[in-house]
Structures are given as C-alpha cells and as structure tokens.
C-alpha cells in the first residue's frame, strides 16, 4: 500500500476517535448513570483498541484465507451498529433532541473529504470516494441542513423521515461497494488500484468498525425516535 498522507490517516483516524467520544458524551447527556457512562467509555476504548491491535497484526490482510478474516470484521461492524441502535443504550439516545441525533451525522462530510484524499493518495480505490460511486457526502452535508432546521423548529416530519431513508440507503451503497471491491470479489476489476485492502490497515480499520457502525446505529436511533414521537402524538390525539 502507498504511504497515506496525514490528511487521510489523521482525518479518518481522528474522526473515528471524535465519533467515539461523541457517543460516550451522548450517553452521558441522555441521563445515563455514571456507571453506565463509565462502562460505555470502557467499551468504546476496548473496541477501538481491539481493532487497532488486530489490524497491526496483519491478519486482516490474509485475503487468501477461507473465510477471509476481514469478512468477520465487516460482519462484526454491522452487528455492532444494529445491536447499539436497538439496545437500551440506543433507547437512551432517543431522549436527546432530534436535531442532535440528525446533526451528528455531519461527521460523514469531513469523512468523505478524507476518503477522497485517500483515493487521491492511491491507498483507497476511487469507486469508494465521491470521485467514483460513493455519494454518502450528501448524507453528511444534508445532516447539517436538516439538523439546523430541526433546531429552529422548521423541519417537517416527512423531511426527517426522507433524510433518514436516503442516508441509510447511501450508507448501504458504500458498504456494498467496499465489500465487493475486496480481492475475493474484485467486482470493479483486479487492478491493485481497484481493490479495497486499505481497511485492513491501521487506522483505516476504524472506518468500518467505528464510523460505519456509528452511522448505522445513528439511523436506527433516529428511526426509533421518529416512531416514539409518532406514538406519543397518537396517544395525545386519542
């Protein structure tokens, strides 16, 4: 792999650390007990550390193994996002203002800029950037707009629902592109520049294990909040 620029390495790695910290801060602001907040912080640190060690070991780059270890990493990342979104912690986060729950997805804007730089550096296949087939930058930019409208009470419910569906769809698209760009499938060609191997390296392993998982959990939490608001409104009208 080519040497990444500081913008790519520190950008993706740094955003992952910020998102993990925001997750812990969100749990605290949602009114969780000190014990729960501490356990959440320790869990986040353990997850970050686990995948840093695994990536450093080089095991994720064994694409010839059957099954390839990186497949387990992708499945674990998706499972974490779903579990967090549906968990008691996810339920606590629904107590936060909807503007925050949407606005936090703005991290996907600078993330896409860092990913574009990674593609420019030649360490990430171009189809995974907005220069190729990844349009998730729309999710990050629109989160700022929709979150801002929610903050001033100017966002209708249909807009938030539409944003959540579009954002989740764009997330699914880039995850699919990333998975099918791996050497085992090489759907975009077998040229090294078209193969997704960089997420098996540190700190880029935090892209799926932290940032994708956080985005997935975030969409589930927003959906739970919208459903809770709908039930509350129905009860008020009953």
């Amino acid at each position: 792999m080519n040497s990444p620029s500081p913008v790519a390495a520190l950008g993706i790695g740094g955003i992952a650390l910020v998102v993990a910290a925001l997750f812990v801060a969100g749990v605290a602001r949602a009114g969780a007990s000190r014990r729960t907040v501490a356990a959440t912080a320790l869990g986040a640190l353990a997850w970050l550390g686990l995948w840093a060690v695994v990536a450093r070991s080089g095991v994720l780059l064994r694409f010839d193994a059957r099954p390839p270890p990186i497949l387990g990493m992708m499945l674990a990342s998706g499972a974490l996002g779903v579990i967090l979104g549906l968990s008691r912690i996810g339920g606590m986060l629904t107590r936060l203002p909807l503007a925050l729950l949407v606005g936090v997805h703005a991290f996907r804007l600078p993330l896409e800029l860092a990913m574009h730089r990674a593609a420019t550096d030649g360490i990430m296949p171009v189809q995974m950037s907005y220069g190729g087939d990844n349009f998730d930058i729309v999710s990050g930019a629109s989160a700022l707009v929709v979150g801002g409208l929610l903050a001033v009470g100017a966002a209708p419910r249909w807009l938030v629902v539409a944003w959540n569906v579009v954002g989740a769809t764009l997330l699914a698209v880039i995850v699919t592109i990333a998975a099918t760009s791996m050497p085992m499938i090489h759907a975009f060609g077998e040229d090294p520049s078209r193969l997704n191997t960089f997420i098996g390296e540190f700190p880029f392993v935090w892209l799926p294990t932290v940032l994708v998982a956080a985005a997935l959990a975030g969409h589930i939490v927003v959906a739970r909040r919208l459903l809770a608001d709908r039930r509350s409104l129905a009860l008020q009208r009953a």
Side-chain angles (χ1 to χ4, degrees):
M1 187 175 75
N2 296 333
S3 298
S5 66
V7 172
L10 296 179
I12 294 175
I15 292 169
L17 292 174
V18 169
V19 168
L22 288 174
F23 170 62
V24 177
V27 172
R29 180 167 178 177
S33 65
R34 289 185 179 180
R35 183 175 181 179
T36 298
V37 174
T40 301
L42 288 174
L45 287 173
W47 184 257
L48 287 163
L50 168 66
W51 291 110
V53 170
V54 171
R56 290 282 192 181
S57 74
V59 69
L60 295 177
L61 300 178
R62 294 179 54 194
F63 295 102
D64 57 339
R66 292 295 179 268
I70 203 164
L71 179 59
M73 180 267 284
M74 294 288 285
L75 292 174
S77 301
L80 176 68
V82 172
I83 290 170
L84 282 178
L86 297 176
S87 69
R88 183 174 65 90
I89 293 294
M92 288 182 181
L93 292 175
T94 62
R95 303 171 189 168
L96 297 175
L98 190 53
L100 282 181
L101 296 178
V102 172
V104 73
H105 284 267
F107 80 83
R108 290 154 75 172
L109 174 57
L111 174 60
E112 290 299 330
L113 296 177
M115 290 173 66
H116 182 73
R117 182 54 184 268
T120 302
D121 292 342
I123 63 172
M124 186 187 82
V126 67
Q127 67 267 19
M128 289 178 61
S129 75
Y130 60 75
D133 303 306
N134 174 15
F135 303 104
D136 196 49
I137 192 169
V138 173
S139 302
S142 59
L144 288 172
V145 176
V146 177
L149 290 173
L150 281 167
V152 298
R157 176 187 169 81
W158 67 263
L159 178 62
V160 184
V161 172
W163 174 86
N164 205 41
V165 171
V166 171
T169 301
L170 291 176
L171 179 65
V173 168
I174 180 53
V175 169
T176 301
I177 292 171
T180 56
S181 296
M182 290 183 184
M184 310 87 69
I185 304 176
H186 52 78
F188 294 86
E190 297 185 56
D191 187 271
S193 66
R194 287 285 182 169
L195 297 178
N196 173 21
T197 61
F198 89 117
I199 60 171
E201 302 268 7
F202 177 80
F204 306 112
V205 68
W206 286 344
L207 176 54
T209 58
V210 176
L211 297 171
V212 170
L216 175 55
H219 281 300
I220 293 173
V221 169
V222 169
R224 290 182 68 179
R225 171 59 184 271
L226 288 170
L227 288 172
D229 288 349
R230 183 177 181 179
R231 285 193 297 266
S232 177
L233 183 60
L235 288 173
Q236 290 176 12
R237 291 176 175 175

